[in-house]
Amino acid sequence: MNHPVAPPQVKAVALGTAEQLRERIRQKSKLKGRQADDVSLSEVEALLGKAPTGGHRRDLLIEHLHKLNDAWRGLHERHLVALGKVMNIPMAEVYEVATFYHHFEVLRGDARAPGLTVRVCDGLACELAGAKDLLARLPALLGTQDVRVIAAPCIGRCEQAPAAVVHQCPVPFATSESIVSVVNSAIDHEVRGVSAINFVASDFAEKSIPQEAGGMTPGYTTYAMYRAAGGYRLAAALVNGEESGEQVLEAMENSGLRGLGGAGFPAGRKWRIVRDQPAPRLMAVNIDEGEPGTFKDRTYLERDPHRFLEGLLVAAQVVGTASCYIYLRDEYHGCREVLELELGRLRADPPCPLPLIELRRGGGAYICGEESAMIESIEGKRGEPRMRPPYIAQVGLFGRPTLEHNFETLYWVRDIVEKGPDWFGGFGRQGRKGLRSFSVSGRVRQPGVKLAPAGITLQELIDEYCGGMAEGHELYAYLPGGASGGILPASLNNIPLDFDTLQPYGCFIGSAAVIVLGHRDKASDAARNVMRFFQHESCGQCTPCRVGTAKASALMQAGVWDAELLEDLAEVMGDASICGLGQAAPNPIRSIQKYFSHEVGEPPWKGSLPPPGEPAVTEHSPQEDPL
């Protein structure tokens, strides 16, 4: 017979006194991580204002970061903690967004922001004009003051090279003396012209857009002046049913207008595609204009913001978009001031019911010129491109079908509808159709925006619009589409400049940013400059672009290039990168190998170039039937 086994004797162990147990519970109940202090919370709340019902909107995170950055000349960690608390966003999320954008300066611990930051553009046009010398000399001249001098990627003032920015005040045709003068004058924001001008872009068809003496910001067409000249009649007629949306759409299609942000998708077809998507539909307008060599959007915007705004209202009515978001690059402080002022006047005395229009401020990230990265940034996130498909015409801003356009595409809408599609389509050379706004910089006598016919050649552009080459320079090479568009030799100066004409040569026109090199310049130096730019501006999301641009930049410093290794890198970047930045980065490498191999000790490239990667600043849409 089995007897039950007695359980083992367990000796009781004291876990602590009652007071110790209570203390452990108190410790565990405390929030983990750094907590917002009362002073920082009050400072953040004073800048943001009272939270609306439901709390602060998540998509306004970047706007709130700008408020902090402007007020404190940097982002103190304690303010980031408080901002996360006020917006109910995890600190990690606030921090990862703040550290993504170049114009946000995160200050750790007790670090203090400099009293003033001077940014000297080191883009290609400015490098040709002596930016390296400026960067070398300024620290010694300003070293006794509380001023930081840093190099900055292209700031969109290539026709005013070399250009610099003192806090938010641009310094065109900068010299060390003019920069020191601005610093000492304590002017840290753009000084705008106060005169009102009736600027009509179409008056300058097949002409140069006039430049102000010394690069000063001109006056602009005000709301009252624009209305007096017939402005907003088209938008009002559409809203009131006096004008047919279908007729406007047909005029857009018949004009041949293509997206002027880089990819060149037919504008009318895009409107029709987005209009057929389920409501609610949204609109996002790209004025980030970060492609080195490009400044056309700024040139038009600072002279007449209303022609663009009317184009936006017309597109919104025809396509049926409920809300419109304008994404403006942070370097354009004067343009932002004008847009804010004139949008206020438009809202105060609207010519017709308006959709919701919000102006958003970029953070100094070139990648946000890519349409899906811009969408992410408008939503208050890191500007990292999305995979396609789906296209943003189907699933875009806040998950809704979105009409995305470049600024200049909308700028021509009123003229096309009022003057008729044949007016716009009637311009052109060598079988091409329409007008193109060429941003021309580099070794030409008269740089600037040239409103020339599509299909014009580089030589014609230089001779007819730029007053010839700059004194002492002979044409050696040119970049037809900014940093992304490749580099061509002077012997190919008679190719029609337009969409689809440059691809056989390994290049593209993109946003029509033409940078001209002289016989004293090296095309390989230009390629090194733009590759450093790509390395700096890669968002880091995909390895082929993040690592490839850095490795390519290092390899390109050699006097004799390793052709095989560079081509391996180019192939991987072009094939495997998520967006146009990595896909277009190989273009300058292959251009040098094909046309300027003598500069880098390589044998000439035999045969045809691979198709060029697409531009990084783009307007895409699915083809006819996206679903």
Side-chain angles (χ1 to χ4, degrees):
M1 182 174 179
N2 295 325
H3 297 280
V5 178
Q9 296 295 315
V10 178
K11 186 177 180 181
V13 178
L15 296 177
T17 65
E19 184 56 36
Q20 289 172 328
L21 290 174
R22 283 193 287 269
E23 179 60 27
R24 288 180 189 176
I25 293 172
R26 281 195 295 268
Q27 290 293 332
K28 287 184 178 182
S29 68
K30 287 185 177 180
L31 293 173
K32 296 181 179 179
R34 183 170 175 176
Q35 302 306 304
D37 62 87
D38 293 339
V39 172
S40 299
L41 278 170
S42 64
E43 289 170 344
V44 169
E45 288 169 343
L47 284 172
L48 269 55
K50 184 179 179 181
T53 303
H56 289 285
R57 289 163 48 186
R58 169 63 183 78
D59 60 295
L60 293 178
L61 172 59
I62 294 173
E63 295 297 303
H64 296 334
L65 287 171
H66 273 302
K67 290 180 180 179
L68 284 168
N69 203 65
D70 288 345
W72 296 86
R73 300 292 173 91
L75 296 173
H76 292 279
E77 284 183 324
R78 63 186 183 87
H79 286 145
L80 295 181
V81 175
L83 181 61
K85 173 76 171 178
V86 168
M87 296 188 69
N88 196 27
I89 300 174
M91 170 58 181
E93 198 170 323
V94 175
Y95 187 82
E96 71 171 8
V97 172
T99 54
F100 180 85
Y101 296 92
H102 302 315
H103 290 185
F104 292 144
E105 182 73 16
V106 176
L107 304 169
R108 294 172 173 82
D110 297 326
R112 192 175 68 87
L116 210 57
T117 296
V118 175
R119 290 181 167 87
V120 178
C121 177
D122 65 355
L124 179 55
C126 287
E127 183 175 284
L128 294 174
K132 284 185 177 179
D133 180 60
L134 266 180
L135 280 165
R137 295 172 59 193
L138 281 173
L141 294 172
L142 298 170
T144 58
Q145 305 179 57
D146 187 16
V147 179
R148 177 182 60 166
V149 178
I150 60 174
C154 184
I155 62 174
R157 294 184 175 271
C158 313
E159 85 281 28
Q160 302 169 354
V165 180
V166 177
H167 187 52
Q168 297 183 359
C169 178
V171 185
F173 307 109
T175 63
S176 54
E177 292 77 17
S178 64
I179 292 174
V180 170
S181 175
V182 173
V183 169
N184 290 337
S185 68
I187 299 174
D188 62 357
H189 61 280
E190 185 164 358
V191 179
R192 295 199 52 82
V194 295
S195 60
I197 60 172
N198 186 26
F199 177 82
V200 181
S202 60
D203 290 348
F204 298 96
E206 298 190 305
K207 298 177 184 177
S208 297
I209 304 301
Q211 300 294 308
E212 301 299 308
M216 296 301 294
T217 304
Y220 66 91
T221 303
T222 63
Y223 181 64
M225 181 173 285
Y226 187 75
R227 287 289 299 271
Y232 292 111
R233 287 180 187 171
L234 174 60
L238 271 169
V239 174
N240 297 331
E242 300 164 4
E243 185 84 28
S244 165
E246 183 60 29
Q247 288 179 335
V248 170
L249 189 49
E250 289 177 1
M252 293 291 292
E253 291 173 326
N254 294 335
S255 71
L257 178 67
R258 298 175 65 168
L260 298 172
F265 194 89
R269 192 194 308 173
K270 178 184 281 192
W271 287 22
R272 200 173 289 280
I273 289 171
V274 178
R275 189 180 68 168
D276 290 341
Q277 302 299 311
R281 295 173 289 274
L282 308 177
M283 187 191 303
V285 183
N286 190 340
I287 324 181
D288 197 59
E289 195 172 48
E291 183 68 36
T294 313
F295 46 89
K296 61 184 179 65
D297 292 353
R298 190 205 86 236
T299 298
Y300 290 130
L301 178 55
E302 64 188 8
R303 286 163 174 78
D304 179 12
H306 291 287
R307 194 163 300 268
F308 151 68
L309 289 173
E310 183 163 17
L312 178 147
L313 294 180
V314 170
Q317 181 64 24
V318 172
V319 177
T321 60
S323 303
C324 305
Y325 297 83
I326 302 171
Y327 190 84
L328 177 66
R329 75 179 305 197
D330 192 36
E331 288 84 348
Y332 291 172
H333 301 290
C335 290
R336 186 175 69 254
E337 178 183 314
V338 166
L339 262 181
E340 288 174 341
L341 177 63
E342 295 304 313
L343 272 171
R345 290 171 173 169
L346 174 63
R347 293 183 182 116
D349 180 25
C352 57
L354 304 176
L356 171 71
I357 302 174
E358 290 196 10
L359 177 60
R360 296 299 181 85
R361 180 177 172 185
Y366 165 73
I367 192 62
C368 291
E370 198 277 338
E371 56 185 6
S372 64
M374 178 187 68
I375 294 295
E376 291 287 299
S377 190
I378 292 173
E379 292 180 356
K381 305 172 187 173
R382 295 164 63 91
E384 295 179 339
R386 299 175 182 178
M387 296 291 289
R388 294 190 302 263
Y391 289 85
I392 67 170
Q394 303 161 286
V395 182
L397 188 57
F398 306 120
R400 301 307 310 163
T402 302
L403 176 66
E404 189 273 346
H405 264 317
N406 168 259
F407 164 89
E408 195 199 353
T409 310
L410 295 172
Y411 200 78
W412 294 114
V413 169
R414 177 189 169 190
D415 287 295
I416 287 172
V417 177
E418 290 185 346
K419 299 177 188 296
D422 291 341
W423 168 79
F424 187 83
F427 295 97
R429 296 183 185 180
Q430 304 187 67
R432 311 308 295 179
K433 190 175 180 180
L435 288 166
R436 298 287 178 266
S437 299
F438 292 92
S439 303
V440 185
S441 61
R443 307 298 192 186
V444 293
R445 192 179 299 273
Q446 298 166 7
V449 174
K450 317 298 177 179
L451 187 52
I456 194 172
T457 68
L458 175 82
Q459 196 62 57
E460 291 169 337
L461 193 63
I462 292 174
D463 293 343
E464 298 176 28
Y465 289 81
C466 301
M469 293 291 292
E471 186 175 353
H473 293 275
E474 300 171 10
L475 178 63
Y476 176 65
Y478 67 103
L479 288 74
S484 303
I487 308 173
L488 291 172
S491 59
L492 296 177
N493 63 342
N494 288 311
I495 304 171
L497 297 178
D498 198 19
F499 298 113
D500 313 318
T501 61
L502 296 163
Q503 279 80 346
Y505 304 92
C507 297
F508 52 70
I509 192 170
S511 58
V514 178
I515 307 175
V516 179
L517 306 182
H519 68 290
R520 295 189 179 90
D521 304 314
K522 284 188 175 182
S524 55
D525 286 341
R528 292 181 182 103
N529 179 286
V530 299
M531 188 57 71
R532 287 194 300 271
F533 173 80
F534 291 141
Q535 178 187 356
H536 182 266
E537 294 298 321
S538 173
C539 74
Q541 180 181 191
C542 65
T543 303
C545 176
R546 181 184 67 251
V547 177
T549 53
K551 294 295 184 184
S553 183
L555 289 169
M556 291 166 70
Q557 301 310 309
V560 176
W561 286 8
D562 186 330
E564 185 176 351
L565 186 53
L566 276 169
E567 176 53 26
D568 284 345
L569 269 175
E571 186 173 348
V572 171
M573 284 192 287
D575 292 345
S577 295
I578 289 174
C579 82
L581 193 156
Q583 294 164 19
N587 296 342
I589 298 175
R590 287 169 168 161
S591 294
I592 300 302
Q593 292 172 327
K594 176 69 174 179
Y595 303 113
F596 306 95
S597 58
H598 59 280
E599 290 190 13
V600 292
E602 286 190 8
W605 182 301
K606 302 295 183 182
S608 300
L609 284 169
E614 67 172 25
V617 182
T618 53
E619 296 182 71
H620 287 96
S621 196
Q623 298 303 314
E624 297 290 346
D625 185 6
L627 297 178

